[in-house]
Amino acid sequence: MPSRRRRPAVAGGLGIFIILMLVASAFFLDSLPILGAGSKYTAEFSEAAGLKASNEVRIAGVKVGKVTDVSLDGDRVKVKFDVKDAWVGDQSTASIQIKTVLGQKYLSLEPKGTERLNTKDPIPLERTTSPYDVIDAFSDAGRTAGDIDTEQLATSMETLSAAFSQTPDNIRASLDGVSRLSQTIASRDDSLRTLFDATTKTTKVLADRNQEFTKLISDGASLVQELNERQRSIAALLTGVQRISQQLTGLIRDNEAQIGPALDQLGGVIDILKNNNQNLAKAIELYSPFVRLYSNIVGNGRWFDQVIVNAFPPGLPDIPGYREPIRTLGVDPVRSPGA
């Protein structure tokens, strides 16, 4: 009996463990070779040139994978990368390319060969190319120029010019020019140092703002795409307007015999209205008091006030006793019948 009670607990624990393993493996589906991570290759370079893990791998400008690792292997750099849904030949070449003006890199592949490249065989150093980093070159040039003793250089040039003072005129003139050039460089030493310092700071600021510039370029691409969409919409609208104008033109041509007399009659109506313009204005002017009076009458809601005058005779004063009629039909009102 105790063993039977423990079995459900063991099964429940095993089920929870399996569920946890499935949840954990869901975060690493891209790394599983069977589920679509792609084929894993290796390339050898003379230098990394700023290439980092997670950088893109492209073939003919299309992203086909990503760099997984960049490490030093003796006198060369070993770059490991994944390629998905793309063919890589046994004579393929690889190069590190500059993706943006701010120095972001990507790995470019050029598939060559007749057979597929074995994943165990790296692309050798002879078929790889590293880029020339302009930013590092300028930084190195700035540091080198900053380390030069310009005053000593100017003194050396002056000594050299004095030593060759007895040489022919053309050589002496050239040396004098070199001397003046060295003096000019020495006099501009502070300016050159300031310029190189500013260049270094500008390079650092641009490198720090790499993501912002990348987003700006992406937003610019979205803006251009939206403008293209608007352009296509406007072109479709103009095409529709052109079709409507063609339909209207055909309609007018088909009904020209009926439209002509109708337009003539409309012109006659307009002439009549022009001739009676003053009468219409007078009628509107006279209609205005009626509208105001009628508005006052019916302005109490769903009913209006109306007075009927002289519908009944005026009331007579109450006088007691009998009164003779003022007039009797057929009788002289002056004389009575018995007179």
Side-chain angles (χ1 to χ4, degrees):
M1 295 298 293
S3 60
R4 293 181 179 179
R5 293 180 181 178
R6 292 178 182 177
R7 288 179 181 177
V10 173
L14 182 60
I16 294 174
F17 177 75
I18 294 174
I19 293 174
L20 291 177
M21 291 296 294
L22 292 176
V23 172
S25 62
F27 293 96
F28 301 96
L29 289 177
D30 293 338
S31 301
L32 297 178
I34 300 177
L35 297 180
S39 301
K40 298 181 179 295
Y41 296 100
T42 305
E44 298 176 348
F45 289 89
S46 59
E47 58 177 334
L51 189 69
K52 299 178 181 179
S54 74
N55 285 154
E56 296 179 355
V57 177
R58 296 185 178 185
I59 295 179
V62 179
K63 180 181 178 181
V64 296
K66 66 178 181 179
V67 177
T68 58
D69 183 65
V70 178
S71 61
L72 184 63
D73 185 13
D75 59 346
R76 59 196 62 190
V77 176
K78 182 179 293 185
V79 177
K80 296 181 180 180
F81 58 94
D82 296 336
V83 175
K84 181 180 179 181
D85 297 333
W87 184 84
V88 181
D90 56 354
Q91 298 297 322
S92 299
T93 60
S95 61
I96 301 174
Q97 301 292 336
I98 299 176
K99 181 179 179 181
T100 64
V101 295
L102 302 180
Q104 190 174 2
K105 307 297 193 307
Y106 70 93
L107 181 62
S108 177
L109 296 179
E110 186 176 356
K112 294 181 180 180
T114 57
E115 298 180 359
R116 181 180 293 273
L117 178 64
N118 191 345
T119 56
K120 297 180 180 180
D121 297 333
I123 300 176
L125 190 63
E126 294 77 15
R127 299 204 305 267
T128 61
T129 306
S130 299
Y132 181 75
D133 200 330
V134 179
I135 297 176
D136 294 339
F138 273 108
S139 300
D140 294 339
R143 288 191 293 268
T144 302
D147 295 337
I148 295 176
D149 190 348
T150 54
E151 294 182 357
Q152 185 176 0
L153 178 62
T155 303
S156 300
M157 291 298 177
E158 290 177 356
T159 303
L160 183 62
S161 178
F164 283 89
S165 60
Q166 302 300 325
T167 57
D169 295 337
N170 53 356
I171 298 178
R172 188 168 57 254
S174 301
L175 294 176
D176 291 339
V178 174
S179 177
R180 286 194 297 270
L181 177 61
S182 63
Q183 292 176 356
T184 302
I185 294 176
S187 62
R188 298 293 189 271
D189 182 50
D190 295 336
S191 300
L192 289 175
R193 290 181 183 275
T194 303
L195 177 61
F196 284 122
D197 291 340
T199 303
T200 303
K201 293 179 180 179
T202 304
T203 304
K204 185 177 183 302
V205 171
L206 291 176
D208 294 338
R209 297 295 186 272
N210 187 17
Q211 296 181 354
E212 287 79 359
F213 277 101
T214 303
K215 187 176 183 302
L216 179 61
I217 294 173
S218 301
D219 294 342
S222 301
L223 176 61
V224 173
Q225 183 179 1
E226 183 65 23
L227 291 176
N228 291 332
E229 293 292 337
R230 297 296 176 89
Q231 182 181 6
R232 286 192 287 268
S233 300
I234 293 173
L237 177 62
L238 294 177
T239 303
V241 171
Q242 183 179 5
R243 292 178 179 175
I244 291 175
S245 63
Q246 293 176 355
Q247 295 293 332
L248 292 176
T249 302
L251 178 64
I252 293 173
R253 290 177 179 176
D254 295 339
N255 299 276
E256 186 175 2
Q258 292 79 12
I259 294 176
L263 294 177
D264 294 337
Q265 293 178 3
L266 180 61
V269 173
I270 293 174
D271 293 336
I272 294 173
L273 292 177
K274 288 182 179 178
N275 295 330
N276 295 275
N277 188 19
Q278 295 181 354
N279 296 331
L280 292 174
K282 186 66 176 178
I284 293 173
E285 183 179 357
L286 295 176
Y287 182 69
S288 178
F290 170 75
V291 171
R292 290 197 297 270
L293 181 60
Y294 185 76
S295 299
N296 293 332
I297 293 174
V298 299
N300 293 329
R302 296 185 297 274
W303 54 85
F304 62 91
D305 299 333
Q306 183 67 36
V307 178
I308 300 177
V309 183
N310 296 328
F312 299 97
L316 299 177
D318 295 335
I319 301 176
Y322 175 80
R323 295 180 61 189
E324 293 291 337
I326 298 176
R327 184 178 179 179
T328 306
L329 296 177
V331 181
D332 188 1
V334 178
R335 297 179 180 179
S336 62

